[in-house]
């Protein structure tokens, strides 16, 4: 048979397979460990609100019918709490779906998309898929956002400027002042996409709500959020975007599949919004454990990036893939970073206290052995 790769567009052949975290089953089968600390995918150890249990006992009717293709109940609810119009809202099968929708809508062959580096791989991959060119703005030596370089990239008028804030995998962030400078450097030629997957963990004085800051400004923008992280719904796949204006949002809606978010995910997201106490508990637990982990890792001599997320980016001072195998053998899943220049880093999620202890113990053993 002829080589099937000749059928495939060059852009797709140039994208590496997505480096998804290992599942519990894979690690159990390969490493024959009983207790596993799953700290590779930034999931919430508390899981979803208990309100979802009631919902799931009544799931038959939700499963039988097609969902609302616009997710109107959820969009209305979100728009109300965010202070925007419902016609500025778009739902995605996870926010990563929306990264794809935006790139499909906007990026033409040869267009430049600027992003922070090390990057969330999908910001780069969907750009590459559309034939766009990725321009990376690396973090500084001390693992913070390089603002002069980011402003210079913005001034070159890329088709799109897309980055996460707080930044995944590093954890550093743009302050309100920095975000204002970025917005001021842009005009109608560039779509600004701020991926706020970790906004609930970061909320506070030193962190801008990009929605409040950008709404009404005369530039095109999208802010992405997700229910996968602080709301504990990673397995249900639901996220949303807030778009600068309804016209642009309408075009993005044409570029997604009509039923991209399922009925169970839509109903679950509403139930999650109905339980703000669970969100507050999840965030408080993550921030407390993040500080405890940071202190323990710093005491052991590791270099750690500043983080406003539910994860830490840690320089282990040697090839992280090797350390990763030693951790897996001890039942711990983290993410060894593979992008050039950062191969000595792992990103470790903040888990439940016993998972974090499991990680710290395994790390000590792996380093000693
Ligand atoms: C986790 C993550 C996402 C993906 O979230 P989903 O809603 O689960 O698709 C998007 N962007 C960033 C930066 C993330 O870390």
């Amino acid at each position: 048979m002829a080589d099937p790769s000749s059928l495939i567009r060059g852009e797709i052949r140039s994208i590496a397979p997505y480096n998804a975290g290992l599942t519990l089953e894979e690690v159990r089968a390969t490493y024959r460990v009983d207790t596993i600390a799953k700290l590779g995918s930034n999931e919430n150890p508390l899981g979803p609100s208990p309100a979802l249990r009631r919902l799931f006992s009544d799931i038959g009717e939700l499963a039988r019918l097609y969902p609302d293709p616009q997710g109107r109940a959820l969009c209305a609810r979100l728009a109300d709490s965010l202070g925007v119009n419902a016609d500025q809202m778009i739902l995605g099968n996870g926010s990563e779906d929306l990264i794809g929708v935006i790139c499909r809508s906007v990026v033409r062959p040869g267009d430049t998309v600027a992003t922070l580096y090390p990057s969330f791989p999908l910001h780069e991959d969907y750009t590459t898929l559309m034939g766009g060119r990725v321009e990376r703005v690396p973090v500084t030596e001390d693992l913070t956002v390089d603002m002069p370089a980011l402003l210079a990239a913005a001034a070159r008028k890329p088709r799109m400027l897309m980055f996460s804030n707080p930044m995944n995998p590093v954890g550093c962030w743009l302050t309100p002042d920095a975000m204002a400078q970025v917005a001021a450097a842009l005009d109608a030629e560039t779509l600004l996409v701020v991926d706020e997957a970790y906004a609930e963990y970061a909320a506070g004085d030193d962190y801008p709500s990009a929605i409040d800051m950008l709404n009404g400004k005369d530039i095109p923008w999208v802010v992405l959020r997700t229910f996968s992280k602080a709301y504990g719904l990673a397995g249900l796949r639901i996220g949303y975007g807030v778009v600068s204006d309804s016209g642009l949002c309408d075009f993005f809606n044409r570029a997604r599949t009509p039923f991209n978010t399922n009925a169970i995910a839509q109903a679950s997201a509403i139930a999650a919004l109905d339980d703000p106490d669970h969100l507050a508990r999840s965030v408080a637990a993550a921030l407390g454990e993040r500080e405890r982990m940071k202190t323990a890792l710093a005491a052991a001599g590791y270099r750690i990036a500043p983080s406003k997320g539910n994860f830490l980016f840690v320089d282990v001072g040697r090839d992280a893939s090797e350390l990763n195998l030693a951790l897996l053998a001890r039942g711990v899943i983290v993410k060894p970073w593979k992008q050039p220049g950062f191969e000595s880093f792992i990103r470790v999620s903040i888990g439940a206290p016993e998972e974090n202890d499991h990680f710290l113990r395994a790390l000590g053993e792996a380093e000693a052995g």
Side-chain angles (χ1 to χ4, degrees):
M1 200 178 94
D3 177 5
S5 70
S6 62
L7 275 177
I8 301 299
R9 289 168 46 218
E11 288 86 350
I12 294 186
R13 279 186 268 135
S14 71
I15 295 171
Y18 186 70
N19 175 24
L22 295 170
T23 64
L24 295 175
E25 291 70 23
E26 281 174 295
V27 172
R28 226 171 256 131
T30 312
Y31 296 94
R32 311 208 167 277
V33 283
D34 296 324
T35 312
I36 298 175
K38 189 171 187 295
L39 304 176
S41 300
N42 298 350
E43 292 135 341
N44 178 350
L46 301 193
S49 159
L52 265 79
R53 257 172 249 144
R54 290 190 289 282
L55 183 68
F56 282 127
S57 67
D58 191 25
I59 213 159
E61 199 62 0
L62 284 174
R64 187 175 73 83
L65 302 173
Y66 273 98
D68 177 351
Q70 265 83 47
R72 274 165 288 213
L74 176 56
C75 283
R77 183 62 197 274
L78 285 166
D80 192 45
S81 72
L82 297 169
V84 300
N85 296 324
D87 61 9
Q88 289 176 270
M89 305 291 315
I90 181 170
L91 301 182
N93 187 21
S95 53
E96 64 101 346
D97 178 30
L98 294 175
I99 299 168
V101 164
I102 293 165
C103 288
R104 282 204 294 284
S105 304
V106 170
V107 179
R108 302 160 303 186
D111 279 341
T112 298
V113 174
T115 191
L116 297 174
Y117 182 81
S119 51
F120 183 57
L122 297 178
H123 293 164
E124 298 197 353
D125 290 349
Y126 286 121
T127 297
T128 304
L129 182 63
M130 297 316 299
R133 202 180 60 80
V134 175
E135 185 186 321
R136 294 171 163 176
V137 178
V139 290
T140 61
E141 270 305 300
D142 57 354
L143 303 167
T144 58
V145 178
D146 187 340
M147 278 306 294
L150 182 59
L151 293 174
R156 286 191 288 275
K157 300 185 187 294
R159 181 72 164 178
M160 194 153 88
L161 177 61
M162 174 162 57
F163 56 83
S164 48
N165 190 39
M167 190 182 164
N168 178 10
V170 179
C172 59
W173 64 96
L174 277 78
T175 62
D177 181 52
M179 187 65 78
Q181 289 179 48
V182 169
L186 295 174
D187 60 23
E189 282 182 51
T190 300
L191 177 66
L192 172 62
V193 180
V194 184
D195 182 343
E196 292 191 338
Y198 302 95
E200 295 83 3
Y201 296 105
D205 282 348
D206 196 30
Y207 178 77
S209 162
I211 297 169
D212 291 346
M213 191 159 214
L214 297 172
N215 206 21
K217 271 217 163 53
D218 199 22
I219 54 168
W221 55 267
V222 183
V223 174
L224 299 176
R225 299 253 182 103
T226 182
F227 287 92
S228 295
K229 307 286 163 53
Y231 287 99
L233 301 183
L236 289 177
R237 316 303 307 126
I238 186 145
Y240 61 93
V242 183
V243 184
S244 48
D245 71 276
S246 59
L248 192 55
C249 195
D250 184 49
F251 285 120
F252 292 147
N253 271 305
R254 299 184 207 181
R256 64 175 173 84
T257 56
F259 299 103
N260 64 336
T261 64
N262 70 75
I264 297 165
Q266 289 180 19
S268 300
I270 292 172
L273 291 170
D274 281 337
D275 190 353
D277 291 349
H278 182 75
L279 176 68
R281 265 194 305 278
S282 297
V283 169
L287 301 194
E289 281 293 289
R290 186 183 71 203
E291 289 319 295
R292 186 173 76 86
M293 287 264 270
K294 215 165 121 182
T295 305
L297 290 166
Y302 292 100
R303 192 164 74 105
I304 310 156
S307 175
K308 274 200 188 290
N310 65 337
F311 55 87
L312 292 171
F313 198 50
V314 184
D315 187 354
V316 297
R318 59 165 159 135
D319 179 22
S321 310
E322 212 177 86
L323 176 70
N324 181 48
L325 292 178
L327 291 173
L328 282 169
R330 291 168 175 82
V332 175
I333 307 173
V334 299
K335 193 160 265 197
W337 213 254
K338 303 209 164 156
Q339 289 177 316
F342 294 89
E343 297 98 332
S344 70
F345 283 81
I346 59 170
R347 191 197 66 199
V348 57
S349 309
I350 306 303
E354 58 278 13
E355 288 180 295
N356 301 331
D357 286 336
H358 184 168
F359 161 74
L360 291 169
R361 198 167 53 242
L363 182 66
E365 285 173 16
E367 295 286 28

